[in-house]
Amino acid sequence: MTESAHEIISTKINPGVVPHLHIWEWHIPLYLFLGGIAGGLLLITSAMIVMKRHFGFGPKDQGDGCPCLAVRIGSVLSPALLGIGMLFLFLDLAHKLYVWAFYTTIQPTSPMSAGSWILIAFFPLAVLQAMVVNRKYIEKFDIALVNKLIVWADDHLVKVALLNAHIGVGLGIYTGILLSFFSARPLWSSSILGMLFLMSGISSAAALLLLLAPKDERHLYSRIDANAIWVELVIVGLFVLGGITGPANSHGAMMHLIAGDHLMAGMPYMYWFWGVFVFAGLIVPLLVEVLENAGVHLHLPPVAPVLVLAGGLVLRFLIVFAGQTWHTFM
Amino acid sequence: MTIGRNMTRRDFIRISSIFLAGAAAMPAIPAGILSGMGSRPAGLADEKIVYSFCEHCFWRCGIAVHVSDGKVTKITGSEHHPLSNGRLCPRGAGGTGLLYDPDRLAYPLVRETRGGKQQYRKATWDEAVTIVAEKLYRIHEQYGPGAIAMLHHGYGVSFFKKMFSEIGVNKIAKPSYDLCCGPARQASVLTYGYPSDTPEGFDIMNSRYMMFFGTHFGENMHNTAVQEISEAIRRGAKIVVFDPRYSTLAGKAEHWLPIKPATDIAMMQALMHVLISENIYDKPFVEQHTVGFGELWDSVREMTPEKASEITDIPAEAIRTVAREYAFHAPAAFVHSGRRTNWYGDALQRIRAIHILNALAGNFKMPGGVVAFQKFPLPQPPAAHEHPAYEKEAYSKYPFFPQDEPSNTIASHEIIQQAIAGDIRALFIYGVNLPETMTLGRQAALDALQKVDFSVAVDVLPAEVTGYVDVVLPECTYLERYDDLDNGRAFRTPFVALRQPAVKPMFDSKPGSEIARMITDKWGLHGVFAPTVEAGLDKKLKLAGSSLEEIKKKGVLVMPATDLYRKSGEPLNLKTPSGKVELASAQLKAGGFDAVPRYTPHPEAPEGYYRMLTGRKPMLTFGRTANNRFLGDLATAKENEVWVNTGVAFSHSLSDGEYVKLKNQAGVVSEFPVKVKVTERIRRDAVYMVHGFGHNSKQLTWAYKKGASHNQLISRTDIDQAMGAVGFQNNFVTFVKEA
Amino acid sequence: MVIDTRVCVGCSACVYACKSENRVPEGFCRDWVVQETGGSFPTLNMENRSERCQHCDNAPCVTYCPTGASHYDEFGTVQINRSRCTGCKACMAACPYDARYVHPEGFIDKCTLCRHRLEKGLETACVSICPTRSLNLVDFNNMTSDIRALAGGKEVYRQKEHAGTEPRLVWISARNKPGA
Ligand SMILES: Nc1nc2c(c(=O)[nH]1)N[C@H]1C(S)=C(S)[C@@H](COP(=O)(O)OP(=O)(O)OC[C@H]3O[C@@H](n4cnc5c(=O)[nH]c(N)nc54)[C@H](O)[C@@H]3O)O[C@H]1N2
Ligand SMILES: Nc1nc2c(c(=O)[nH]1)N[C@H]1C(S)=C(S)[C@@H](COP(=O)(O)OP(=O)(O)OC[C@H]3O[C@@H](n4cnc5c(=O)[nH]c(N)nc54)[C@H](O)[C@@H]3O)O[C@H]1N2
Ligand code: SF4
Ligand code: SF4
Ligand code: SF4
Ligand code: SF4
Ligand code: SF4
Ligand SMILES: [Mo]
């Protein structure tokens, strides 16, 4: 009503909370995190396959066309992690028995509807790719039909991987777009969010591969990771700037995130954002990896990838929570 | 040890949960009413509507009770009843929360000592009623009827009044006189010759200019008044509110004047001063229809707006503006006389000043001014027994206490004092939560309850009072019983209304009509009441040319609108000694009181303390709704807050939402902490808290420990020596931070 | 609806009426009351208003619903089909008015504009209880002269119009002077 309004009493929620509405809890950030990694893994592993198969670059080949061990693991992890993520998504549904309703309709305007179909599309190709790169294990089972499929897919693996790379990017972006379409929530309502989540997904995936890869493969993933972090830092900068310089709604929401004293697990958003996400989750690992790549061996346990992963996780929680604890579009 | 002389004889008994409804019969509570699930339309098929009237406050609006499958599903406003007009206040809509309260009293309880420990025993109705009848009879035999007193509030009391009148017991008090509307009633009697009523006699709907002192309609949710005020707003009326606090009504006002509390009479005198000195009052009306103008002018001559400004903290110019605007809009203008008028023990004079301001506007029986609504003329059947000797006796010692109300023959604080002094030996308490209602302070109420030989509470809930009595009789709620016909309300269209049961009494509770009959039967007085309550109502209605069957259909018989306005030249024929409006009251003068209202200063707060003001929340009525979980469900209904001005909060380092205890000038500290509301909406010299919270009866499982009790913090009372009302706003509190 | 905040006293009768009419479970509500005070002592202003789903013409809750559970009905009001709702809460995140809640039984619930009553020619529960007649049910395609007179010449507004949802609740501001 008036700009100077200073006292609002609502029967709905208590005045200290008005008009904050906490909708999603831990399930959705975890799902977005796992979805992001799954997308990142798919992109990286597909890219590696294409590089190897088409251009011949990459780590040593074990002769079966799979570039390296990390790719083997990553290809399997990608659909597995997404599956776990979707389980969380399912757990979040308040009306679980009606989950079928997603798949009896296509709602072109609903990102969630699009998403639920994308997720369905993701699995067959991602699983197929995982089977191909791991064919030596699967063929042991000697299932005729499966073997046939693998053989066929192996012949077209570059094309499958190219397609998968795109799906991976799509999935990564989707985890951000899902939120950014909600124009009612000013923090989310930023077109950069898709890119941010994509890059964070890639850097997290690289970090995960870095953790899992045998020693001789690490160098490569460390470079991928360092580059992804670098790009991600730039995007974070754009995201923050875009918010601060935006209209009152976005400005307020961004300040709530980067300077807010609202608590998450007992610590204000501000510390989580700058301290945990930006500093510990991006800058420190970037420095470590740049140094490692430059040949300065710190002989540290794999802190950098762990920090990146933690940072990625915190980012999802922060964005999801801060987006909800700031009021809807005013 | 002499029984009845030991102050600690009656331990407070915590009613065991097996005597409450919850443990016994929770399954009887229809799912979906308190924790409603599913969607409604399913239940609509067999819905029936029972018309009755509300008991969530004393306005008595007509309700339509929707019953489906033997359960009350919702309550809406009766479209036939003039006071509700199809609409309700929130409390009226919340009756299911009382009906299905799992904490309701379910069985009669009798105090007994077992193994040195006092406890309640579940009793049959026959046992409990036998004890009540015998004890009362014995006290009556031994000490006479004057040793028994009844305190009551609520419409079901009529049967008990009749019961007591049969044995000549005549000490009957309603706290709502002393603490509530007594002064407004008596001020009207003294000025206009007739008592003010409910709804108060103002033509709100047609008014152009309305002035309110404190009266906070909108929070005080008197349904009809709120309906009329909103209609007046739509028609363009202006509102003026004098209130130390920015009330909801102040939020709608053209002028909000944050008057210094306890200085209202000075303000009213100043308004009179302007009206008279600027010659803008209704001279012809004053000359023809009033007496005492000279004396009035003498008394306000000195009270210039400048002088009043110093006293009231309101700029002189604002006082002039309001007086002029008031005169400009007169006679379609009035000053409202308020409802809970007892603030500082001088309310009789304050409300007289209001009536005088009305007379100066010449608004009597004018559209938009003061009007006299009519009651439905219902012939009363002759009383079955007569006790002339007792009934003539007046008990109150206050000279201007009403002489015409058999339901209110003595001030309730007099009963408390007499009980403490040992003159009253039995207390019969109907629908009054004594420890939280009586404002000679909580302690005096408890002392009285300890002291008497025998006490009974008729109640629906395990309210605090039920822990201190000898016998607890569980009445069923207003939705489960017949009561007497309501023709006590005067309004535009006179009416008589029926209270009828919408559902059968739950548990082992019974209607008051039956309880009273059982007691009189035990006394051997048969035939006091009609054979059934229905037969009694039918008989009364037949005398008025109707019948129970007819009134049941709409719950009300309504007469056409009466003519409220006077014709020019019409004599007023008032029942005052002079037959005119008494600006100066010869009666008061003869009694040794001021004939015209005069401002006298009241005590000021000690350093660091603030005057404690009180009021209402729109969705609650103290004890009646405190445990109502349906009404209590909203964030704004869960507790009371103490309103503290931003500057005061700063100087005490209080922050919004913090919990503090309050301590009054006598050192009493609130039992429970209360939430601080830091606000611009109140003056710096006062704090405000809604009455009816901070219940310490654990059996009120919902209300227990929510907020702080206003009543507990009252240590000082100011009794109006003319008419016996009790003011309690000369109490001051400060903040005690939680360790 | 046209909501006249000049007369609303914030009593919440509309909230309770809705709760019992629609069996809204404990702790939840389909409509709610806001009391907003501005200024500083002693120059204050206040507005009381009863809020609920705005039945937006361009409702993001419908747009974002992945299952079609949230939809427009034939009268243009926004409704939820409980037997298609997954409880994914996308609609809640999408609504700029915070009008929805998760019903304990899992589906999403909000004001239905008492569709079941409108179908019978009755006013909504909240409208019919309101002691101040602050709530007025209005067919904007078919405005009566009463409603024109009520809102005519007064300061009226819609909430968060720039959110682009085309809300269908219209508010008569409490700032209107008497007799405006
Ligand atoms: N919802 C709801 N409605 C109710 C009730 C309820 O419990 N709940 N109770 C009913 C009953 S029994 C009664 S008696 C009425 C009471 O209703 P009212 O008669 O309206 O209430 P009061 O308690 O007299 O007045 C409270 C207002 O007076 C202001 N005030 C306090 N001291 C002073 C003063 O010295 N000068 C001035 N000018 N103002 C002052 C307070 O700030 C507050 O706003 O409400 C009735 N209506
Ligand atoms: N401190 C303080 N004290 C006050 C006031 C204040 O503002 N502050 N306000 C004063 C005013 S204005 C008034 S009117 C009085 C009101 O005083 P009361 O009417 O005594 O107040 P309640 O707390 O409503 O007590 C009502 C009791 O009746 C019971 N009851 C409810 N329904 C029924 C029923 O159908 N039958 C029976 N038998 N019992 C029933 C309730 O359980 C409760 O115990 O309080 C006065 N006391
Ligand atoms: S004003 Fe409200 S509580 Fe009082 S009788 Fe009317 S509906 Fe009931
Ligand atoms: S019932 Fe009417 S007056 Fe009361 S809060 Fe609701 S809209 Fe306002
Ligand atoms: S107010 Fe919210 S829930 Fe209602 S139609 Fe608009 S967007 Fe949907
Ligand atoms: S919660 Fe139900 S109504 Fe809301 S978007 Fe999901 S499926 Fe649609
Ligand atoms: S229209 Fe019906 S559902 Fe909507 S708020 Fe009013 S009572 Fe509730
Ligand atoms: Mo009262």
Side-chain angles (χ1 to χ4, degrees), chain C residues 38-53:
Chain C
S40 51
F41 185 94
T43 331
L44 298 172
N45 57 67
M46 178 191 280
E47 183 168 287
N48 291 281
R49 53 179 187 264
S50 166
E51 304 188 342
R52 59 188 51 57
C53 165

Side-chain angles (χ1 to χ4, degrees), chain B residues 56-58 89-91 153 179-181 212-217 219-222 242-245 247 259-264 338-344 350 611 613-622 688 691 729:
Chain B
H56 267 348
C57 84
F58 321 105
C89 94
R91 301 163 295 157
H153 205 190
L179 303 166
C180 183
C181 12
F212 297 91
F213 283 87
T215 310
H216 59 326
F217 285 123
E219 285 154 291
N220 151 7
M221 269 314 287
H222 283 154
F242 292 91
D243 196 316
R245 180 185 69 101
S247 62
I259 189 171
K260 179 175 171 187
T263 66
D264 298 76
R339 179 92 191 166
R340 190 184 67 77
T341 46
N342 284 339
W343 296 345
Y344 306 101
R350 196 180 76 247
R611 190 181 295 276
L613 307 180
T614 190
R616 312 290 183 234
K617 274 188 194 261
M619 62 296 269
L620 301 169
T621 320
F622 18 87
Y688 173 83
H691 165 56
Q729 291 192 180

Side-chain angles (χ1 to χ4, degrees), chain B residues 18 78 135 161 193 229 258 260 267-268 295 298 312 348 369 457 475 528 531 533 622 649 656 704 716:
Chain B
I18 57 164
S78 160
K135 292 269 176 152
K161 249 161 21 192
I229 288 173
K260 179 175 171 187
M267 172 60 67
M268 294 163 188
E295 212 172 323
D298 285 344
T312 62
L348 181 70
E475 186 171 35
V528 172
V533 67
F622 18 87
D656 192 57
Y704 178 63
R716 174 187 162 133

